[in-house]
Amino acid sequence: MLAQQLVNGLFIGSVYALFALGYTLIFGVLDILNLAHASIFMLGAFTTLVLVLKGVPLLLAILGGALAGGLLGVLLDRVAFWPLRRRQAGPLAPLISSIAVGMIYVGTANGIFGPDVRHFPFDVVRTPTYTIGPVTFTLAQLTIFIASLALMAGLQLLLRRTRLGAAIRAVAENPRAAQLVGIDLESVYAQTFFIASALGAVAGILFALTFNAVSSVMGSAVELKGLAVIVLGGMGSIPGSLLGGLLIGLSEDLSVAYLSSGYRDAIVFAILFLMLIIRPTGLLGKRGLRTA
Amino acid sequence: MHALTAFYSAHSALINQIGVNALLALSIWVTLACGQLSLGNMGFMAITAYASVLLVLRAHWPFFPAVLAGTGLAAIAGLLLGWPVLRLRGVFLAIATIGFGEIVRIFAVNLSVTGGAEGIAGIPQLASTPIIYSSLALAVFLLWRLTRSRAGRAFAAIAQDEVAAAGLGIDPAAYKLAAFAIGAAIAGYAGALSAFSSFFISPTDYSFGRVVDMLASAVVGGIGSVGGPVLGSILLTLLPETLRFLQNYRDVINGLILLFVIVFLPQGLWSLVDRRRAS
C-alpha cells in the first residue's frame, strides 16, 4: 500500500515538476510570475488531441503540441510582457497582463471545444500494466516519469553546456551587464519563453494522457499547485522544481492514503504557506537559476 | 417612474451584483494602495459569508449584528494572516495569500457546518439594493477620506518605496497591517451582502477566479483613486451580460480589455475621467 502510494506520487509529481519548471524558468530570467502558463499547459494538450484525432501518430502529435505551446509562449511574451518591458512597468503589471492572456487562451479553447471534457481514443492510451512486488503501474506512467526526468535533465544540460544556456544565465544574473557583453536580450527572452512554454505544454499533454481527459479548465488543476512546487523547491531553481514537484506529488498521495482525500490540497497549500514564512527562498532556492 | 421600476425589477440581481463587485474591487484596492498585492480576499469573503449566514439561519441572529460579527471575524483573520506574511514582497506575498484563500475554500468543502461542496441553500434575501448601495457609498466616502488623511499619504509613501518611507518615520508594518485588516473587512462584508442577495452559497463562489475578477476590476478602472475600482466593476460586471451572444468566447473579450488597459492605459480607465476634469 505504502509502496504503491509512493510510486503514484512520484509519477504525478514528475508532471507537476515539469509544469513548474516553466514558472521557475521565466521567474528566474524575467522576475515575472507568469499566470498564463496553465493556459499553455491546456492548449498543448488540446493541440495533441486534435492531431491524434486527425490520425497523426502519438509521438508526432506530442511534438506538435510542444511546438504549439512554445509558439504560444513567444506570442504571450510579445503581447503581454514586451510592451511593459519597454515601459519599465512595476511588478504588478506583468502579473495582470499574464492573467489577461490566460483568459484569452482559455476563452479561445472554450469557444472552439466547449466546456466538455474530451478523451483520447482508447487504443492510443491503452498500455500494458506491470506488477513488481506490491507495486502496479502502466507503461504510460513509467514513460511519463522517464520523459519528465529526461526533459529536466536536458534543460539542465542546455543551461550549463550551451551558448544559449550561458546567455540565459547571464541575463538572469544581470540583464544590463549581459547586454553590454553583446547578448541580444530580446532573443534570449523569446527563446526562454519558447522553452518554458514548450515544457509546460508537454506537462499538459502528459497530464492529459495520464487521466485521459482534456478540457479547457484543466489548467486550474495545476495552476496553483505549480506555485506550491516552485515555492517549496525555491523560485528560479531547476533542481528545486524537480524536488518540489516530487515532494508535492508524494504529499498528495500520502495524505489521501493516511489522512483524508478531502484535505489533500489543503496540505499542499499549508506546505506552501509555511515554506514562505519559514524559508521564502525554498529548499534549493538560494542558488537559483544563476548557477543553474 | 413606472419604466424605472420595471427596469429595476428586471435587472435587480445584476444591479446588486455591480454594487457587491464594486465593494470587492475596493477591498483589493486598499492593499494595492499600500503597495501590497494580496490575493486572499476570496477567503475573507467566505469567512464572513458562512459566519453570518450560519448566525442568521442557525442561531437566529438579526441580519445586521450577524453581518457585523462576520465582518469582525474577517478583520481578525486579516490581522492574523497579515502578521506573518507582511515581510514577504511582491509575488511572494501574492502566492502566500492565494494559499490562504485556497485553504479556506478547501475547509468550506470539507466541513459539515458549511454544507460541504453543496453549500448552504435557502438564504433569506436580506441584503436589499438600498443596503448594498448605501454600504458602497459609505465605503467610497471613508476610503476617499482615508486617501486624504495622514494614513493615506503613508500608504502612498509605502507603495512608492518602503525603505524610504521607513526613513521618513513611517512604520510600514503597522500601516500594511491596517491596510490588510481594512481590505479583509471590506471583502468579508461584501461577501456577506453577496450571500444575502443570492439564494445559496457554495465553495465554488470563493475560488481563485473570484479574486482575479476583483483584481481585474480594480486595475481596469485604475488603482490611482477610489473611483477607479468602482468604474472597473461596473464595466466588467455589465460586459459579460452584453456579450452573451459570444457564448463560450466571452472570456476572450474580458482578457482583451484587461490586456489593452494594462498595456495602453496603465493608470486605468479612471485616468481618462480625471484627465478630462483637469483640462
Side-chain angles (χ1 to χ4, degrees):
Chain A
M1 178 67 178
L2 175 65
Q4 182 69 53
Q5 295 299 338
L6 287 176
V7 167
N8 289 349
L10 286 179
F11 284 146
I12 196 66
S14 66
V15 177
Y16 291 160
L18 196 58
F19 173 73
L21 212 56
Y23 268 144
T24 223
L25 194 58
I26 289 171
F27 185 83
V29 174
L30 289 112
D31 267 329
I32 287 174
L33 185 61
N34 171 23
L35 287 180
H37 197 52
S39 67
I40 292 174
F41 172 90
M42 174 273 301
L43 286 174
F46 261 121
T47 308
T48 299
L49 177 68
V50 168
L51 290 175
V52 165
L53 291 178
K54 282 201 186 320
V56 177
L58 183 61
L59 210 59
L60 270 179
I62 292 175
L63 270 178
L67 184 70
L71 294 175
L72 287 167
V74 175
L75 178 67
L76 161 74
D77 178 49
R78 291 316 280 180
V79 300
F81 301 127
W82 176 71
L84 303 178
R85 272 205 294 282
R86 289 205 316 172
R87 195 173 77 215
Q88 298 189 322
L92 177 63
L95 184 83
I96 292 170
S97 63
S98 74
I99 290 176
V101 173
M103 282 180 180
I104 296 170
Y105 283 177
V106 173
T108 306
N110 214 3
I112 297 174
F113 302 103
D116 301 336
V117 177
R118 306 294 184 97
H119 306 282
F120 285 95
F122 187 60
D123 55 318
V124 172
V125 289
R126 188 181 48 192
T127 58
T129 302
Y130 301 108
T131 304
I132 300 176
V135 179
T136 303
F137 55 89
T138 64
L139 180 63
Q141 281 179 311
L142 187 66
T143 314
I144 286 165
F145 182 68
I146 292 170
S148 301
L149 294 189
L151 282 169
M152 278 180 268
L155 179 67
Q156 186 76 354
L157 272 180
L158 178 125
L159 286 173
R160 272 185 179 280
R161 297 288 166 82
T162 66
R163 272 189 84 81
L164 172 63
I168 289 176
R169 283 185 289 136
V171 173
E173 180 69 44
N174 185 337
R176 192 159 295 170
Q179 201 170 22
L180 282 176
V181 297
I183 292 170
D184 178 356
L185 284 187
E186 286 305 324
S187 151
V188 168
Y189 289 148
Q191 293 180 77
T192 304
F193 266 95
F194 185 88
I195 296 167
S197 303
L199 292 174
V202 173
I205 297 162
L206 298 180
F207 190 83
L209 288 170
T210 308
F211 298 107
N212 194 13
V214 185
S215 76
S216 56
V217 295
M218 66 184 274
S220 59
V222 293
E223 179 174 37
L224 302 180
K225 228 166 264 174
L227 294 180
V229 169
I230 53 174
V231 164
L232 183 60
M235 300 275 275
S237 161
I238 286 159
S241 286
L242 175 60
L243 182 66
L246 296 182
L247 286 176
I248 294 286
L250 286 175
S251 85
E252 270 188 20
D253 269 288
L254 292 179
S255 52
V256 170
Y258 295 102
L259 295 166
S260 133
S261 63
Y263 287 99
R264 185 187 75 174
D265 288 350
I267 288 164
V268 170
F269 290 110
I271 293 173
L272 167 142
F273 194 81
L274 290 176
M275 199 67 200
L276 277 171
I277 289 168
I278 298 164
R279 191 178 157 88
T281 49
L283 293 173
L284 302 178
K286 264 256 148 44
R287 297 183 301 144
L289 189 67
R290 278 128 223 204
T291 52
Chain B
M1 197 60 208
H2 175 71
L4 209 62
T5 47
F7 177 84
Y8 173 72
S9 56
H11 299 285
S12 63
L14 185 62
I15 292 168
N16 289 348
Q17 210 186 335
I18 291 173
V20 167
N21 287 349
L23 278 168
L24 289 172
L26 285 171
S27 79
I28 206 164
W29 173 83
V30 177
T31 37
L32 284 174
C34 193
Q36 309 300 305
L37 181 56
S38 165
L39 298 181
N41 289 11
M42 66 292 199
F44 301 124
M45 272 182 90
I47 288 172
T48 311
Y50 279 109
S52 56
V53 164
L54 288 172
L55 283 173
V56 166
L57 288 183
R58 301 279 161 77
H60 305 292
W61 282 36
F63 174 65
F64 272 112
V67 170
L68 291 180
T71 304
L73 204 60
I76 293 169
L79 287 173
L80 289 178
L81 171 69
W83 174 68
V85 301
L86 279 180
R87 65 198 180 92
L88 300 172
R89 278 160 203 275
V91 296
F92 290 92
L93 177 66
I95 294 173
T97 49
I98 291 172
F100 159 79
E102 283 295 295
I103 291 171
V104 171
R105 186 181 62 78
I106 294 161
F107 270 87
V109 173
N110 287 287
L111 293 176
S112 59
V113 68
T114 55
E118 279 151 40
I120 301 173
I123 301 169
Q125 306 287 291
L126 298 173
S128 62
T129 307
I131 290 177
I132 291 172
Y133 278 86
S134 48
S135 305
L136 176 61
L138 184 66
V140 168
F141 175 71
L142 291 176
L143 290 174
W144 178 74
R145 286 293 302 266
L146 179 80
T147 57
R148 298 296 170 101
S149 72
R150 194 182 165 79
R153 288 191 297 273
F155 278 18
I158 294 166
Q160 278 287 331
D161 185 338
E162 200 177 316
V163 179
L168 293 172
I170 294 168
D171 180 358
Y175 282 107
K176 278 154 69 174
L177 210 50
F180 235 75
I182 297 170
I186 297 175
Y189 185 77
L193 291 185
S194 172
F196 283 102
S197 60
S198 44
F199 291 97
F200 74 99
I201 53 174
S202 76
T204 48
D205 298 334
Y206 311 108
S207 56
F208 178 55
R210 194 72 196 233
V211 77
V212 168
D213 290 343
M214 298 179 210
L215 185 64
S217 296
V219 169
V220 166
I223 58 172
S225 70
V226 184
V230 178
L231 181 66
S233 307
I234 296 171
L235 183 74
L236 290 188
T237 313
L238 286 177
L239 201 66
E241 299 301 316
T242 55
L243 295 176
R244 272 185 191 282
F245 67 95
L246 286 172
Q247 295 173 356
N248 292 335
Y249 280 101
R250 262 182 306 178
D251 272 357
V252 177
I253 305 294
N254 277 338
L256 285 173
I257 290 176
L258 189 55
L259 187 62
F260 178 86
V261 168
I262 200 79
V263 170
F264 295 108
L265 280 174
Q267 304 304 313
L269 293 173
W270 187 259
S271 62
L272 298 176
V273 179
D274 251 3
R275 203 174 297 166
R276 181 175 293 177
R277 209 166 46 188
S279 62

